[in-house]
């Protein structure tokens, strides 16, 4: 009865896992035969009516089903998801994202301009040479990478387009050989900022444009002509790289070799303990120190004339951007004031809270519950490991300025392989703690001279899965911490004495490294480095081979601590357990103890006038 029935059928649209349905329901009254009475249709065509009733019933049941989240949101922790919401609005999350392909970028003038600037920089440095591809050689592809650079306050700084070689197609021994290139450690950066605060020095910052394009390559590397910049009439030709290009495996090492040779030529001395730290000593005790992290440089010292000469020399050698006073470096926000230097990651905290849907969560006062012991818990509910790893990875970088969350992050990072619900709850508690302390950071007071000293502690057999102990140490310089660690020991110890001894040995190695760097920076420390320990047996064991029954099984490498003590490089000093600052790195604490030790680390708020006055008290 096709001519006698008119059915308004709705076709469900599958939008990336989400079923789109019309809000209007199909009613039986919409089924009618034009020009015929309703009762005649029902009487003369019962089979068609039954079939249509089944369609109406199926449509009604489909509209009443629970609607599920879009498939592309399966990796996100979403709260309060509105099932009646149009899924198209979720694409607003990507409305301001950087383009991922060349076809997307050419539609916007800002990216075209940035690509022109990149090509101009490459041609200015004489990086490429158009040539025929020799027999037996192969080319490496290139692609454009786009990134919107932001300031520390979240405002757009610039749009950057980078021509990148597909280095994953290179072969070892053919296209490249050595690839290692050192970068500055975060401990070194914090040490320089603290040292500058003690001496009331200013810290400045420089940025090298297109740093990887300066060093000449030793190997023969050929790349394809980039999209939009193919030479007319020479479409079949390729580019031979005369200098390094971003994306090549050997590019970082080539750049480091180039700038290292420049510093040595200019009279700088490279620190043998930190290969990205350069010191230049002038007349009458004048000094300039430079710390390098790839193409970002920070420098400080006690002579402004040396600053100006260094900056002029760098700008003659490289295409530089003078960023003035250090204010944003590797994601670290630096505030230099008359009171001192403050470093924090406030912008980064807000980003990760928004990323993991915790921007409006309730805050807590401690990052981990007192007495909490995480275990593998194979019977626990399995969670999304990708989400868990993203949270842990984000928090690990935040420990660059937040020693107060170091132990909590170290604890949850042990369960990334098979995380359970308890582990995710512990990770979310850290985010809740950050919600209320987003503006906290480290404050180094100006003019407060202090020697390097440290604290070491351990939580004996604290891990319930393998019964290993947790070592913790922290080193103070001036008014705040510059180096800290919370790590599970590599061995199972048989007593608290051995656990403390192993932790002290690890702390002593770090003390030796820090004191050597300070010596290179012309910082005179008249006495040996003091390390405070709350275990008297460990102190006695470090000075005399007594308690033989307790220490005969200790590995020989840990007795390195005895040599440092004997040579008066370090000095283990007893302190009470309630004054042990490193306790915050080994176990969950009560609120009062946590707040006391957090203040001892130099962690405070970043709001300038009022809170800095609070830190000075």
């Amino acid at each position: 009865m096709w001519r006698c029935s008119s059915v308004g059928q709705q076709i469900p649209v599958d939008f990336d896992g989400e079923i789109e349905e019309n809000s209007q329901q199909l009613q039986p009254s919409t089924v009618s035969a034009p020009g015929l009475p309703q009762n005649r249709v029902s009487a003369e065509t019962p089979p068609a009516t039954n079939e249509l009733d089944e369609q109406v019933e199926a449509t009604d049941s489909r509209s009443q089903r629970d609607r599920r989240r879009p498939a592309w949101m399966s990796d996100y922790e979403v709260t309060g998801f509105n099932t009646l919401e149009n899924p198209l609005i979720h694409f607003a999350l990507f409305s301001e994202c950087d383009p991922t392909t060349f076809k997307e970028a050419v539609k916007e003038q800002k990216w075209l301009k940035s690509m022109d600037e990149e090509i101009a920089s490459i041609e200015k440095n004489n990086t490429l040479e158009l040539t025929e591809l020799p027999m037996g050689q192969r080319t490496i592809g290139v692609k454009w990478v786009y990134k919107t650079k932001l300031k520390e306050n979240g405002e757009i700084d610039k749009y950057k387009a980078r021509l990148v070689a597909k280095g994953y197609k290179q072969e070892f021994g053919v296209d490249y050989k050595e690839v290692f290139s050192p970068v500055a450690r975060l401990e070194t950066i914090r040490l320089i900022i603290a040292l500058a605060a003690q001496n009331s020095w200013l810290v400045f910052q420089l940025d090298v444009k297109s740093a990887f394009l300066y060093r000449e390559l030793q190997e023969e590397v050929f790349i394809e002509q980039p999209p939009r910049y193919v030479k007319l009439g020479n479409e079949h030709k390729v580019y031979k790289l005369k200098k390094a290009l971003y994306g090549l495996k050997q590019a970082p090492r080539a750049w480091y070799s180039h700038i290292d040779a420049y510093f040595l030529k200019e009279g700088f001395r490279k620190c043998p303990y930190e290969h990205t730290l350069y010191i230049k000593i002038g007349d009458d005790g004048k000094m300039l120190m430079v710390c390098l992290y790839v193409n970002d440089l920070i420098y400080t010292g006690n002579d402004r004339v040396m600053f100006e000469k260094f900056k002029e020399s760098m700008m003659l050698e490289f295409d530089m951007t003078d960023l003035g006073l250090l204010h944003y470096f590797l994601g670290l926000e630096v505030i230099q004031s008359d009171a001192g230097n403050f470093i924090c990651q406030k912008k980064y905290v807000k980003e990760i809270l928004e990323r993991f849907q915790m921007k409006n969560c309730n805050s807590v006062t401690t990052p981990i519950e007192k007495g909490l012991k995480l275990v593998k818990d194979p019977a626990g509910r399995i969670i999304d490991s990708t989400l868990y790893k993203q949270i842990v990875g984000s928090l690990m970088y935040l420990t660059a300025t937040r020693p107060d969350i170091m132990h909590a992050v170290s604890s949850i990072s042990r369960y990334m392989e098979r995380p359970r619900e308890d582990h995710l709850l512990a990770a979310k508690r850290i985010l809740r703690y950050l919600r209320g302390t987003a503006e906290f950071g480290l404050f180094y007071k100006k003019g407060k001279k202090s020697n390097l000293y440290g604290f070491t502690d351990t939580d004996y057999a604290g891990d319930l899965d393998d019964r290993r102990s947790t070592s913790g140490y922290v080193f103070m310089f001036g008014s705040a911490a510059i180096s800290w660690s919370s790590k599970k020991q590599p061995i199972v110890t048989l007593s608290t004495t051995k656990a403390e001894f192993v932790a002290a040995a690890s702390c002593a190695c770090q003390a030796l490294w820090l004191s050597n760097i300070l010596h290179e920076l012309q910082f005179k420390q008249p006495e040996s480095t003091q390390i405070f320990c709350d275990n008297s047996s460990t102190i006695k064991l470090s000075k005399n081979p007594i308690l033989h029954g307790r220490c005969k099984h200790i590995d020989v490498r840990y007795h390195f601590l005895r040599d440092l003590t004997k040579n008066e490089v370090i000095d283990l000093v007893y302190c009470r357990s309630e004054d042990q600052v490193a306790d915050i790195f080994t176990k969950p604490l009560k609120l009062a103890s946590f707040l006391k030790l957090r203040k001892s680390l130099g962690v405070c708020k970043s709001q300038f006038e009022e809170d800095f006055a609070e830190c000075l008290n």
Side-chain angles (χ1 to χ4, degrees):
M1 304 294 293
W2 295 102
R3 291 177 297 177
C4 300
S5 62
S6 175
V7 181
Q9 184 179 3
Q10 294 179 330
I11 301 175
V13 180
D14 187 4
F15 181 72
D16 210 2
E18 177 74 13
I19 297 178
E20 280 292 305
E21 298 171 340
N22 198 300
S23 59
Q24 298 179 352
Q25 303 294 331
L26 187 62
Q27 302 296 334
S29 60
T30 62
V31 182
S32 61
L36 292 176
Q38 181 68 24
N39 57 357
R40 280 192 60 186
V41 175
S42 302
E44 295 179 6
T45 60
T49 304
N50 293 339
E51 182 178 353
L52 293 173
D53 289 341
E54 292 176 1
Q55 293 180 5
V56 172
E57 183 179 354
T59 304
D60 290 340
S61 63
R62 185 169 63 246
S63 64
Q64 295 172 0
R65 286 202 306 249
D66 292 336
R67 300 175 69 182
R68 59 183 186 271
R69 288 162 48 188
W72 56 268
M73 294 184 66
S74 60
D75 285 346
Y76 290 79
E77 188 75 14
V78 180
T79 58
F81 182 72
N82 187 359
T83 57
L84 300 178
E85 193 173 54
N86 187 346
L88 279 173
I89 68 173
H90 293 290
F91 277 90
L93 294 171
F94 303 99
S95 60
E96 296 297 328
C97 287
D98 300 327
T100 56
T101 63
F102 174 76
K103 291 182 179 179
E104 297 175 15
V106 293
K107 299 176 183 178
E108 299 185 61
Q109 187 62 35
K110 61 186 179 183
W111 297 115
L112 291 175
K113 180 181 177 182
S114 61
M115 284 190 286
D116 291 340
E117 292 175 355
E118 175 72 359
I119 292 296
S121 177
I122 290 174
E123 293 177 348
K124 179 181 177 181
N125 287 287
N126 196 23
T127 305
L128 306 174
E129 179 184 1
L130 195 64
T131 182
E132 299 282 350
L133 182 65
M135 290 291 295
Q137 294 285 353
R138 63 193 185 106
T139 60
I140 296 174
V142 293
K143 67 172 293 185
W144 286 101
V145 177
Y146 308 95
K147 180 67 175 178
T148 301
K149 299 286 188 177
L150 302 177
K151 298 179 181 178
E152 65 273 13
N153 57 3
E155 296 179 357
I156 295 176
D157 184 18
K158 60 181 177 180
Y159 298 98
K160 186 65 179 176
R162 183 75 73 187
L163 185 64
V164 177
K166 298 180 179 179
Y168 56 85
K169 292 187 176 181
Q170 292 181 266
E171 294 182 8
F172 178 75
V174 178
D175 298 315
Y176 73 97
K177 294 178 182 177
E178 294 291 339
V179 297
F180 173 74
S181 176
V183 294
R185 295 173 60 90
L186 289 172
E187 293 100 323
T188 308
I189 295 169
R190 291 191 294 261
L191 177 61
I192 289 177
I193 294 175
L195 187 64
Q198 279 199 22
N199 294 279
S200 300
W201 297 340
L202 294 177
V203 188
F204 298 91
Q205 183 179 7
L206 291 173
D207 176 66
V208 183
K209 296 180 181 179
S210 304
F212 285 5
L213 309 181
Y214 287 96
R215 180 68 174 182
E216 295 185 0
L217 288 178
Q218 305 299 321
E219 304 86 4
E220 285 192 345
V221 180
F222 298 89
I223 63 169
E224 300 171 356
Q225 296 189 52
R228 189 173 178 263
Y229 298 94
V230 178
K231 299 294 184 181
L232 296 178
N234 295 302
E235 293 84 355
H236 64 286
K237 291 187 177 182
V238 298
Y239 279 120
K240 178 183 178 182
L241 287 179
K242 301 168 66 176
K243 297 180 180 179
L245 191 69
Y246 284 88
L248 293 181
K249 292 182 180 293
Q250 67 268 43
R253 182 176 181 85
W255 159 245
Y256 173 75
S257 300
H258 183 70
I259 197 167
D260 178 68
Y262 163 78
F263 279 126
L264 297 179
K265 181 186 70 174
E266 290 295 318
F268 285 84
R269 186 180 75 254
K270 181 166 63 175
C271 177
Y273 310 103
E274 176 65 274
H275 287 187
T276 56
L277 180 61
Y278 298 87
I279 305 102
K280 187 174 185 179
I281 308 297
D283 300 330
D284 301 327
K286 296 178 181 179
M287 182 175 61
L288 171 65
M289 58 185 75
V290 182
C291 191
L292 173 70
Y293 195 100
V294 192
N295 63 326
D296 290 314
L297 298 91
I298 62 173
Y299 62 97
T300 186
N302 56 6
D303 185 56
R304 295 296 293 268
V305 177
M306 294 182 71
F307 290 174
E308 296 300 325
K309 290 183 178 179
F310 167 70
K311 191 165 59 174
E312 292 175 4
S313 174
M314 286 289 291
M315 290 186 171
L316 288 176
E317 182 74 16
F318 308 102
D319 189 6
M320 304 289 302
T321 301
D322 185 6
L323 301 177
L325 286 174
L326 175 64
H327 61 280
Y328 194 61
F329 185 70
L330 305 178
L332 277 62
E333 301 171 43
V334 183
I335 302 174
Q336 301 184 59
S337 70
D338 295 335
N341 295 340
F342 184 87
I343 60 173
C344 66
Q345 292 170 281
K346 180 175 63 175
K347 173 178 175 288
Y348 183 69
V349 170
K350 293 180 178 179
E351 286 177 357
I352 62 177
L353 288 175
E354 187 171 357
R355 177 183 180 186
F356 299 116
Q357 306 280 323
M358 300 287 285
K359 183 173 62 174
N360 299 317
C361 66
N362 295 326
S363 61
V364 294
T365 52
T366 58
I368 188 169
E369 295 179 39
K370 181 186 180 301
L372 177 65
K373 297 285 186 181
L374 295 176
V375 294
K376 291 183 178 179
D377 189 19
R381 187 171 73 88
I382 300 175
I383 62 168
D384 182 12
S385 62
T386 301
L387 171 67
Y388 186 79
K389 291 174 182 177
Q390 290 173 345
I391 295 176
V392 174
S394 300
L395 291 174
M396 288 177 69
Y397 187 67
L398 189 57
T399 59
T401 59
R402 297 296 298 271
D404 50 330
I405 66 170
M406 186 73 231
H407 173 64
V409 175
S410 176
S411 298
I412 65 173
S413 66
R414 302 170 188 173
Y415 305 98
M416 287 195 291
E417 185 179 1
R418 294 184 182 86
R420 296 297 190 265
E421 187 176 19
D422 289 345
H423 307 144
L424 180 60
L425 292 176
K428 284 189 173 182
R429 182 180 175 89
I430 302 176
L431 295 175
R432 294 181 187 278
Y433 171 73
L434 294 174
R435 170 72 173 82
T437 60
E439 298 178 344
F440 278 52
L442 293 170
F443 179 60
Y444 302 100
K445 298 178 184 178
K446 269 194 178 178
K448 183 174 180 180
K449 302 256 179 171
S450 172
N451 291 333
L452 178 72
Y453 62 97
F455 295 85
T456 177
D457 193 27
T458 185
D459 180 25
Y460 176 62
D463 194 293
L464 299 181
D465 293 316
D466 54 18
R467 309 308 298 181
R468 294 183 183 180
S469 304
T470 300
S471 296
Y473 68 74
V474 58
F475 284 93
M476 309 292 294
F477 189 69
S479 60
I482 60 168
S483 178
W484 53 84
S485 173
S486 177
K487 189 179 296 185
K488 192 162 64 171
Q489 292 182 358
I491 58 175
V492 178
T493 52
L494 302 180
S495 65
T496 55
T497 299
K498 181 181 178 181
E500 294 277 2
F501 192 82
V502 171
S506 175
C507 181
C509 293
Q510 184 73 0
L512 181 62
W513 180 74
L514 289 171
S515 60
N516 285 335
I517 290 182
L518 285 172
H519 180 73
E520 291 292 322
L521 296 176
Q522 306 297 308
F523 181 83
K524 306 297 183 182
Q525 186 160 290
E527 302 174 352
S528 56
T529 304
Q530 286 188 336
I531 298 178
F532 293 92
C533 178
D534 59 2
N535 187 282
S536 57
S537 298
T538 299
I539 297 174
K540 294 176 182 178
L541 187 58
S542 68
K543 297 178 180 179
N544 302 297
I546 58 176
L547 303 171
H548 180 71
R550 298 185 185 180
C551 66
K552 61 182 180 181
H553 52 275
I554 297 179
D555 198 322
V556 175
R557 59 178 171 152
Y558 297 115
H559 288 294
F560 176 62
L561 175 62
R562 285 183 182 172
D563 293 337
L564 295 178
T565 305
K566 181 180 178 181
N567 296 332
E568 297 183 351
V569 176
I570 66 166
D571 181 22
L572 277 181
V573 181
Y574 178 79
C575 71
R576 299 182 305 168
S577 296
E578 54 266 29
D579 298 329
Q580 178 55 265
V581 179
D583 210 25
I584 198 173
F585 299 101
T586 60
K587 61 182 76 68
L589 302 172
K590 294 186 295 185
L591 177 60
S593 300
F594 176 79
L595 295 179
K596 173 187 174 183
L597 297 182
R598 185 180 71 180
K599 185 178 180 181
S600 300
L601 292 172
V603 177
C604 61
K605 288 184 180 179
S606 65
Q607 293 179 357
F608 222 75
E609 302 294 340
E610 302 176 7
D611 295 317
F612 270 16
E614 177 186 340
C615 293
L616 290 170
N617 294 332

